[in-house]
């Protein structure tokens, strides 16, 4: 795989291009110096061309150093950003795992609630058909709302029955009290009659003698 296919960062690509151009120019300068021979025996035109190429090479090397420095700091910044991004990914992954465990916990709680043997399910409520016949306005209610309405209806019915029971209990207690009073009155009457009979015995004996 070619280096150009591996390196995709624009800054690094500029460094590679500048490095390649500088290398080509340096090799060309070496070949030119070798062809011209010793510098003291070279022609003025060759010396001038060599000096020109040396200055250009120095300029390209300076540019290459600048690009290399920029690429180095860019790589450091990218590395720092990558590290921060990795930490953020790790944090989000941990948060996702916590949410997953919380979801499983909540699903377990929901399943436990759905399978729980609620007390209201054992209430002796009237049949649903009978309730809807009494309360047709609840025909379109959802299951929870309908159950609440049925329980509320049962509560009101039981409160009414309890009120009637208390009224009957008061009536019963009053009747018991009245019966006790009548019984006591009859007992007192019996005592008065016995006293009356005892008091009348001498008169009865007197009548018996005269007869």
């Amino acid at each position: 795989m070619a280096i150009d296919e591996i390196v995709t960062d624009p800054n690094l690509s500029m460094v590679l291009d500048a490095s390649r151009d500088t290398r080509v120019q340096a090799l060309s300068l070496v070949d030119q110096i070798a062809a011209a021979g010793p510098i003291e025996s070279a022609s003025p035109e060759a010396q001038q061309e060599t000096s020109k190429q040396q200055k250009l090479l120095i300029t390209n090397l300076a540019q290459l150093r600048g690009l290399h420095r920029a690429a180095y700091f860019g790589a450091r910044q990218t590395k720092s950003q990558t590290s921060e991004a990795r930490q953020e990914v790790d944090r989000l992954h941990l948060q996702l795992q916590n949410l997953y465990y919380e979801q499983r916990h909540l699903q377990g709680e929901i399943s436990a609630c759905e399978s729980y043997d609620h007390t209201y399910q054992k209430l002796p409520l009237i049949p649903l058909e009978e309730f809807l016949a009494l309360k047709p306005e609840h025909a379109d209610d959802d299951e929870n709302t309908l159950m609440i309405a049925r329980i509320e209806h049962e509560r009101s019915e039981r409160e009414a029955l309890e009120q009637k029971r208390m009224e009957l209990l008061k009536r019963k207690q009053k009747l018991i009290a009245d019966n006790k009073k009548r019984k006591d009155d009859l007992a007192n009457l019996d005592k008065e009659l016995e006293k009356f009979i005892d008091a009348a015995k001498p008169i009865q004996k007197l009548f018996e003698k005269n007869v």
Side-chain angles (χ1 to χ4, degrees):
M1 182 178 293
I3 189 66
D4 293 335
E5 298 178 1
I6 299 176
V7 178
T8 58
D9 183 83
N11 292 330
L12 293 179
S13 296
M14 290 177 60
V15 173
L16 289 176
D17 292 341
S19 176
R20 189 181 298 111
D21 294 341
T22 303
R23 178 176 177 275
V24 170
Q25 185 181 6
L27 292 175
S28 176
L29 179 59
V30 170
D31 292 341
Q32 182 179 345
I33 293 174
I39 189 171
E40 58 274 3
S41 62
S43 64
E45 292 80 5
Q47 292 180 5
Q48 185 177 2
E49 182 64 24
T50 300
S51 176
K52 178 180 177 182
Q53 293 298 325
Q54 287 177 342
K55 292 179 181 178
L56 183 59
L57 178 60
I58 292 172
T59 302
N60 288 339
L61 286 173
Q63 182 182 8
L64 180 60
R65 290 192 190 95
L67 291 174
H68 179 269
R69 186 182 298 107
Y72 172 75
F73 287 113
R76 287 183 58 182
Q77 183 179 6
T78 302
K79 183 178 180 180
S80 175
Q81 292 174 349
T82 302
S83 177
E84 293 175 358
R86 183 181 296 111
Q87 292 177 359
E88 180 67 13
V89 169
D90 292 340
R91 185 186 68 81
L92 292 175
H93 182 264
L94 179 61
Q95 185 177 359
L96 182 61
Q97 288 294 108
N98 292 336
L99 290 175
Y100 173 70
Y101 292 135
E102 184 178 357
Q103 180 188 30
R104 288 205 306 177
H105 172 71
L106 291 176
Q107 287 176 342
E109 292 292 327
I110 292 172
S111 299
C113 290
E114 290 177 346
S115 60
Y116 181 74
D117 189 14
H118 294 281
T119 305
Y120 76 85
Q121 294 177 339
K122 300 179 181 179
L123 292 176
L125 303 177
I126 63 175
L128 179 59
E129 295 78 8
E130 184 177 346
F131 172 77
L132 292 177
L134 294 173
K135 304 286 185 178
E137 64 272 15
H138 294 287
D140 297 329
D141 289 350
D142 58 72
E143 183 178 354
N144 291 335
T145 305
L146 185 59
M147 178 57 70
I148 293 173
R150 292 178 67 190
I151 294 175
E152 179 62 24
H153 175 264
E154 183 67 23
R155 183 188 65 81
S156 62
E157 290 293 316
R158 293 194 181 193
E159 288 179 351
L161 289 174
E162 178 64 16
Q163 185 176 358
K164 290 181 180 179
R165 189 186 73 83
M166 294 300 296
E167 292 175 357
L168 291 174
L169 181 61
K170 290 180 182 179
R171 289 179 59 187
K172 177 183 176 182
Q173 292 174 346
K174 185 176 183 303
L175 290 173
I176 292 174
D178 291 344
N179 288 336
K180 184 176 182 302
K181 184 176 183 303
R182 291 191 183 96
K183 184 178 180 180
D184 293 341
D185 291 343
L186 289 174
N188 292 332
L189 181 59
D190 288 341
K191 291 179 181 179
E192 293 297 327
L193 286 174
E194 288 178 358
K195 290 180 181 179
F196 179 76
I197 292 172
D198 291 339
K201 283 181 179 180
I203 300 175
Q204 183 179 4
K205 292 180 179 179
L206 180 61
F207 280 125
E208 290 176 351
K209 289 180 180 181
N210 292 333
V211 174

